[in-house]
Amino acid sequence: MAEQEHVRVVVVGSGFGGLGAAVRLRREGITDFVVLERADSVGGTWRDNSYPGCACDVPSHLYSFAFAPHPDWPRTFSGQEHIRAYLEHVTDVFHLRPHLRFNSEVKKMTWDGEKLRWEIETSGGRLSADVVVSATGPLSDPRTPDIPGLDSFPGEVFHSARWNHDYDLRGKRVAMVGTGASAIQIVPSIQPQVERLTLFQRTPPWVMPRADRAISGAERALHRALPFTTRARRGLLWGIRELQVQAFTKHPDELGFVEQLAKRNMARAIKDPALRARLTPDYRIGCKRILLSNTYYPALARPNVDVVTSGLSEVRGSTVVAADGTEAEVDAIVFGTGFHVTDMPIADRVVGAEGKTLAEAWSGGMEALRGASAAGFPNWMTVIGPNTGLGNSSMILMIESQLNYMADFLRQLDVLGGRAALDARPGAVHAWNRRVQERMKRTVWNTGGCTSWYLDANGRNTTIWPGTTTEFRRATRRVDLAEYDVVRPSVSPSADGSAEQNAPAEKATSAKMGPKKEVSA
């Protein structure tokens, strides 16, 4: 029997978070790692979401790694195909392919307290690792509501993140369920093709104009010739968004002016006062993610589109029924109903030091020290973890900050020497989370009067970071060992190969760590 593979680090997922982690590991001189990917190619959510009109709502030069600037973005807001091509490019430029394990979905990860390592079972076999970096991302597992009668629907049904490209929508009657970021891109893309489009809207979004344009050849040539111009463009885009943060986090009332701009944007395309009323939100702008589109409202004004201001509640044969009783005959149902964000399926597959799954540990709500480390899960880190999301800027900035933290985490293990693991102290995790939640109370996401996917089943905002990306970068620049327990093996091999009992399982901070400190967010 072949010996089970053991590596120093396992990275789970090959989207921006996973590939970024892989690049950072190589830059730190660590090559003993693998990247587990359940699909057959890299890209994460930008591989899975290939629906018509799929594009990013963050400017291209900001939605790319600082260590891999791209001078040849074709548009100011890039489409899915260009972002996926960029990730393939990063994979090749940084020689990541030898580390990739495709078709290797994680089935279970279990912490072995004696060997101080993670035992990992995947669809492609078993392996073990000293450290796990989970970069599965919150937008990876689609959420489809449980609709009575859906199983008996005779037509086509699929989620926006699992688009069926073999099904031709031309001339079909289509129900679009949801009005989030995916739906406002899908609706104008398919509206000209379909016979009739029925949009089920539980809550209308705030929609602002999308300042998208082609980037000229001269601009791209300048960025290639003078790389500092690419960095300057990224820096300007970043700075503008940093200045916006206070309105979202401290002074939501200041967003009233932005609401007026959004209403004017709607009025330009929607001339029918009754339809405008149905499309006007009753919550503060920013409470849900502000969406960008120049084509969504014009599409809704077309004669072959019906806007139902109620959620889908039942399916009777080919008839879809809204909660308000509205009925429509359709040939296909497309769900744009989001993802498992606050109840990520990977959490059911991670078993920590006390035999509990991460989902059980997070039953009262997700929380992790500096968005990375969960108490009771030694040497396990997450990228885009709890309270690391953004409402107005690029998640790549947050990913890069978490990669700084990951790199220092591994350095600290090297400094400790021998076989050791770091386990976040429950008190440190709770203190961090308490500060985050206290700051969250006055943000627009908590006070804006909406229900969003930012909130978990308990009504707590466990997804968004209530500050600037600069603050988060400072908070994750270094690992503070006072916030961790050092775990040593209880049993280790002696020189002659027999088992030798150590002192009681050491789980204490070293003298170098200094006093236990209050955690600040």
Side-chain angles (χ1 to χ4, degrees):
M1 181 181 294
E3 186 176 347
Q4 178 177 298
E5 181 181 16
H6 178 80
V7 294
R8 185 179 182 193
V9 183
V10 156
V11 178
V12 186
S14 66
F16 268 99
L19 295 180
V23 171
R24 188 57 184 267
L25 288 170
R26 287 185 62 89
R27 291 171 67 127
E28 292 290 319
I30 299 171
T31 57
D32 184 20
F33 70 91
V34 298
V35 180
L36 302 177
E37 171 53 58
R38 65 184 177 186
D40 58 4
S41 61
V42 302
T45 195
W46 294 106
R47 174 200 60 236
D48 295 342
N49 287 268
S50 59
Y51 57 79
C54 184
C56 190
D57 60 0
V58 174
S60 304
H61 287 88
L62 192 58
Y63 201 77
S64 46
F65 291 119
F67 58 76
H70 186 43
D72 284 312
W73 288 114
R75 302 195 65 84
T76 52
F77 289 86
S78 291
Q80 174 264 344
E81 68 277 16
H82 301 122
I83 297 173
R84 186 177 180 186
Y86 171 76
L87 291 173
E88 293 280 2
H89 175 72
V90 168
T91 302
D92 290 329
V93 166
F94 291 94
H95 307 291
L96 303 182
R97 296 206 182 273
H99 300 280
L100 293 168
R101 302 287 189 272
F102 291 126
N103 301 306
S104 297
E105 182 176 9
V106 170
K107 300 297 184 181
K108 193 174 185 180
M109 291 189 285
T110 306
W111 176 250
D112 186 326
E114 291 190 356
K115 297 179 180 178
L116 290 193
R117 68 186 191 186
W118 286 95
E119 298 291 341
I120 304 166
E121 179 185 347
T122 80
S123 57
R126 300 179 65 89
L127 74 162
S128 58
D130 297 329
V131 176
V132 169
V133 178
S134 179
T136 57
L139 306 183
S140 57
D141 292 281
R143 179 189 292 277
T144 301
D146 185 14
I147 305 294
L150 184 62
D151 292 343
S152 61
F153 179 68
E156 192 70 22
V157 179
F158 50 87
H159 191 279
S160 60
R162 301 292 184 267
W163 195 270
N164 183 358
H165 291 278
D166 295 328
Y167 184 75
D168 190 354
L169 290 175
R170 286 178 296 183
K172 300 296 196 303
R173 300 165 299 175
V174 180
M176 179 76 227
V177 184
T179 53
S182 299
I184 74 157
Q185 295 178 345
I186 293 169
V187 166
S189 298
I190 67 173
Q191 173 270 319
Q193 307 170 17
V194 303
E195 176 185 322
R196 188 142 214 95
L197 178 60
T198 303
L199 177 66
F200 287 85
Q201 170 193 272
R202 287 195 306 174
T203 308
W206 285 105
V207 181
M208 294 287 286
R210 181 184 177 87
D212 187 28
R213 64 171 178 83
I215 297 177
S216 69
E219 288 176 272
R220 285 180 275 167
L222 176 66
H223 291 329
R224 286 194 299 271
L226 301 173
F228 78 87
T229 62
T230 306
R231 294 192 297 271
R233 187 171 188 160
R234 174 187 167 96
L236 177 63
L237 292 167
W238 164 79
I240 292 171
R241 281 155 181 78
E242 288 290 271
L243 293 175
Q244 297 170 348
V245 171
Q246 284 209 352
F248 288 84
T249 60
K250 295 180 180 179
H251 308 292
D253 289 344
E254 294 179 359
L255 293 166
F257 172 70
V258 184
E259 283 183 12
Q260 294 306 312
L261 296 177
K263 287 178 180 178
R264 290 179 194 171
N265 179 51
M266 184 194 305
R268 281 193 290 267
I270 306 296
K271 303 305 181 183
D272 178 2
L275 180 55
R276 269 207 312 272
R278 297 205 300 272
L279 296 174
T280 302
D282 62 358
Y283 56 88
R284 174 63 76 194
I285 194 170
C287 185
K288 291 175 177 282
R289 190 173 181 95
I290 301 172
L291 306 183
L292 306 179
S293 177
N294 300 325
T295 55
Y296 179 64
Y297 286 141
L300 297 186
R302 301 301 297 170
N304 68 332
V305 178
D306 295 316
V307 178
V308 178
T309 55
S310 184
L312 178 62
S313 65
E314 186 181 358
V315 176
R316 302 174 192 153
S318 296
T319 304
V320 289
V321 185
D324 66 1
T326 303
E327 297 184 3
E329 292 287 321
V330 298
D331 304 302
I333 303 173
V334 179
F335 285 99
T337 46
F339 300 85
H340 289 276
V341 176
T342 59
D343 58 341
M344 293 185 290
I346 190 68
D348 289 309
R349 307 176 189 184
V350 183
V351 182
E354 297 178 0
K356 294 193 302 185
T357 66
L358 186 61
E360 290 170 331
W362 282 351
S363 60
M366 299 189 302
E367 57 178 25
L369 177 61
R370 303 184 187 274
S373 300
F377 297 83
N379 283 9
W380 185 91
M381 309 188 74
T382 182
V383 178
I384 314 185
N387 291 114
T388 60
L390 295 176
N392 76 313
S393 193
S394 173
M395 279 306 301
I396 312 305
L397 301 168
M398 302 296 278
I399 289 172
E400 291 177 335
S401 292
Q402 291 201 285
L403 298 184
N404 289 340
Y405 197 73
M406 175 199 75
D408 198 51
F409 188 98
L410 292 166
R411 291 188 208 110
Q412 296 296 338
L413 287 175
D414 286 340
V415 169
L416 288 168
R419 294 168 61 202
L422 290 174
D423 187 6
R425 289 180 170 181
V429 175
H430 296 329
W432 170 263
N433 188 64
R434 186 168 57 250
R435 286 292 303 274
V436 168
Q437 293 303 321
E438 186 62 31
R439 293 182 62 178
M440 196 71 71
K441 289 179 181 178
R442 58 182 175 177
T443 67
V444 69
W445 308 300
N446 279 37
T447 65
C450 72
T451 300
S452 72
W453 58 264
Y454 298 153
L455 310 180
D456 64 17
N458 302 311
R460 293 173 63 235
N461 192 327
T462 57
T463 57
I464 297 294
W465 169 246
T468 65
T469 61
T470 302
E471 289 176 288
F472 191 76
R473 181 65 59 97
R474 285 199 299 264
T476 53
R477 191 176 302 280
R478 295 282 185 272
V479 168
D480 180 358
L481 286 178
E483 296 176 350
Y484 287 86
D485 286 322
V486 178
V487 184
R488 297 286 186 181
S490 56
V491 178
S492 62
S494 63
D496 63 3
S498 61
E500 179 181 86
Q501 186 70 34
N502 287 343
E506 179 190 344
K507 196 173 184 184
T509 53
S510 68
K512 295 181 180 179
M513 294 179 193
K516 185 175 179 180
K517 295 179 284 187
E518 178 67 21
V519 184
S520 61

PDB file of all heavy atoms in Angstrom, residues 414-425:
ATOM      1  N   ASP A 414       7.546  28.295  12.880  1.00  0.00           N
ATOM      2  CA  ASP A 414       8.972  28.017  12.690  1.00  0.00           C
ATOM      3  C   ASP A 414       9.778  28.489  13.896  1.00  0.00           C
ATOM      4  O   ASP A 414      10.706  27.804  14.359  1.00  0.00           O
ATOM      5  CB  ASP A 414       9.487  28.710  11.428  1.00  0.00           C
ATOM      6  CG  ASP A 414       9.016  28.025  10.152  1.00  0.00           C
ATOM      7  OD1 ASP A 414       8.620  26.842  10.221  1.00  0.00           O
ATOM      8  OD2 ASP A 414       9.031  28.681   9.086  1.00  0.00           O
ATOM      9  N   VAL A 415       9.442  29.664  14.413  1.00  0.00           N
ATOM     10  CA  VAL A 415      10.158  30.215  15.562  1.00  0.00           C
ATOM     11  C   VAL A 415       9.962  29.324  16.791  1.00  0.00           C
ATOM     12  O   VAL A 415      10.904  29.100  17.570  1.00  0.00           O
ATOM     13  CB  VAL A 415       9.688  31.654  15.853  1.00  0.00           C
ATOM     14  CG1 VAL A 415      10.230  32.143  17.197  1.00  0.00           C
ATOM     15  CG2 VAL A 415      10.129  32.593  14.737  1.00  0.00           C
ATOM     16  N   LEU A 416       8.759  28.813  16.964  1.00  0.00           N
ATOM     17  CA  LEU A 416       8.485  27.949  18.113  1.00  0.00           C
ATOM     18  C   LEU A 416       9.307  26.674  18.063  1.00  0.00           C
ATOM     19  O   LEU A 416       9.736  26.148  19.090  1.00  0.00           O
ATOM     20  CB  LEU A 416       6.992  27.604  18.167  1.00  0.00           C
ATOM     21  CG  LEU A 416       6.065  28.749  18.577  1.00  0.00           C
ATOM     22  CD1 LEU A 416       4.614  28.374  18.321  1.00  0.00           C
ATOM     23  CD2 LEU A 416       6.265  29.097  20.040  1.00  0.00           C
ATOM     24  N   GLY A 417       9.552  26.166  16.856  1.00  0.00           N
ATOM     25  CA  GLY A 417      10.391  24.990  16.684  1.00  0.00           C
ATOM     26  C   GLY A 417       9.722  23.703  17.128  1.00  0.00           C
ATOM     27  O   GLY A 417       8.745  23.702  17.893  1.00  0.00           O
ATOM     28  N   GLY A 418      10.243  22.597  16.633  1.00  0.00           N
ATOM     29  CA  GLY A 418       9.684  21.296  16.990  1.00  0.00           C
ATOM     30  C   GLY A 418       8.280  21.131  16.444  1.00  0.00           C
ATOM     31  O   GLY A 418       7.826  21.863  15.556  1.00  0.00           O
ATOM     32  N   ARG A 419       7.599  20.179  17.020  1.00  0.00           N
ATOM     33  CA  ARG A 419       6.222  19.943  16.597  1.00  0.00           C
ATOM     34  C   ARG A 419       5.309  20.797  17.460  1.00  0.00           C
ATOM     35  O   ARG A 419       5.225  20.611  18.678  1.00  0.00           O
ATOM     36  CB  ARG A 419       5.875  18.462  16.724  1.00  0.00           C
ATOM     37  CG  ARG A 419       6.674  17.578  15.765  1.00  0.00           C
ATOM     38  CD  ARG A 419       6.524  16.119  16.103  1.00  0.00           C
ATOM     39  NE  ARG A 419       5.123  15.700  16.005  1.00  0.00           N
ATOM     40  CZ  ARG A 419       4.634  14.634  16.622  1.00  0.00           C
ATOM     41  NH1 ARG A 419       5.415  13.912  17.413  1.00  0.00           N
ATOM     42  NH2 ARG A 419       3.369  14.294  16.454  1.00  0.00           N
ATOM     43  N   ALA A 420       4.650  21.727  16.821  1.00  0.00           N
ATOM     44  CA  ALA A 420       3.806  22.665  17.569  1.00  0.00           C
ATOM     45  C   ALA A 420       2.632  23.091  16.705  1.00  0.00           C
ATOM     46  O   ALA A 420       2.672  23.028  15.483  1.00  0.00           O
ATOM     47  CB  ALA A 420       4.618  23.879  17.998  1.00  0.00           C
ATOM     48  N   ALA A 421       1.592  23.512  17.376  1.00  0.00           N
ATOM     49  CA  ALA A 421       0.416  24.066  16.700  1.00  0.00           C
ATOM     50  C   ALA A 421      -0.049  25.281  17.470  1.00  0.00           C
ATOM     51  O   ALA A 421       0.198  25.402  18.676  1.00  0.00           O
ATOM     52  CB  ALA A 421      -0.697  23.021  16.613  1.00  0.00           C
ATOM     53  N   LEU A 422      -0.735  26.169  16.787  1.00  0.00           N
ATOM     54  CA  LEU A 422      -1.301  27.358  17.416  1.00  0.00           C
ATOM     55  C   LEU A 422      -2.820  27.266  17.375  1.00  0.00           C
ATOM     56  O   LEU A 422      -3.410  27.046  16.313  1.00  0.00           O
ATOM     57  CB  LEU A 422      -0.842  28.623  16.680  1.00  0.00           C
ATOM     58  CG  LEU A 422       0.635  28.990  16.835  1.00  0.00           C
ATOM     59  CD1 LEU A 422       0.983  30.174  15.939  1.00  0.00           C
ATOM     60  CD2 LEU A 422       0.961  29.317  18.287  1.00  0.00           C
ATOM     61  N   ASP A 423      -3.425  27.444  18.545  1.00  0.00           N
ATOM     62  CA  ASP A 423      -4.880  27.361  18.672  1.00  0.00           C
ATOM     63  C   ASP A 423      -5.378  28.678  19.268  1.00  0.00           C
ATOM     64  O   ASP A 423      -4.967  29.070  20.366  1.00  0.00           O
ATOM     65  CB  ASP A 423      -5.253  26.186  19.578  1.00  0.00           C
ATOM     66  CG  ASP A 423      -6.750  25.926  19.621  1.00  0.00           C
ATOM     67  OD1 ASP A 423      -7.489  26.580  18.858  1.00  0.00           O
ATOM     68  OD2 ASP A 423      -7.180  25.074  20.413  1.00  0.00           O
ATOM     69  N   ALA A 424      -6.234  29.368  18.562  1.00  0.00           N
ATOM     70  CA  ALA A 424      -6.738  30.656  19.037  1.00  0.00           C
ATOM     71  C   ALA A 424      -7.430  30.503  20.385  1.00  0.00           C
ATOM     72  O   ALA A 424      -8.254  29.607  20.573  1.00  0.00           O
ATOM     73  CB  ALA A 424      -7.709  31.244  18.014  1.00  0.00           C
ATOM     74  N   ARG A 425      -7.085  31.370  21.320  1.00  0.00           N
ATOM     75  CA  ARG A 425      -7.716  31.327  22.631  1.00  0.00           C
ATOM     76  C   ARG A 425      -9.177  31.769  22.536  1.00  0.00           C
ATOM     77  O   ARG A 425      -9.478  32.782  21.891  1.00  0.00           O
ATOM     78  CB  ARG A 425      -6.979  32.248  23.602  1.00  0.00           C
ATOM     79  CG  ARG A 425      -5.617  31.757  24.027  1.00  0.00           C
ATOM     80  CD  ARG A 425      -4.996  32.744  24.993  1.00  0.00           C
ATOM     81  NE  ARG A 425      -3.804  32.216  25.608  1.00  0.00           N
ATOM     82  CZ  ARG A 425      -3.068  32.859  26.499  1.00  0.00           C
ATOM     83  NH1 ARG A 425      -3.432  34.085  26.873  1.00  0.00           N
ATOM     84  NH2 ARG A 425      -1.998  32.311  27.015  1.00  0.00           N
TER      85      ARG A 425
END
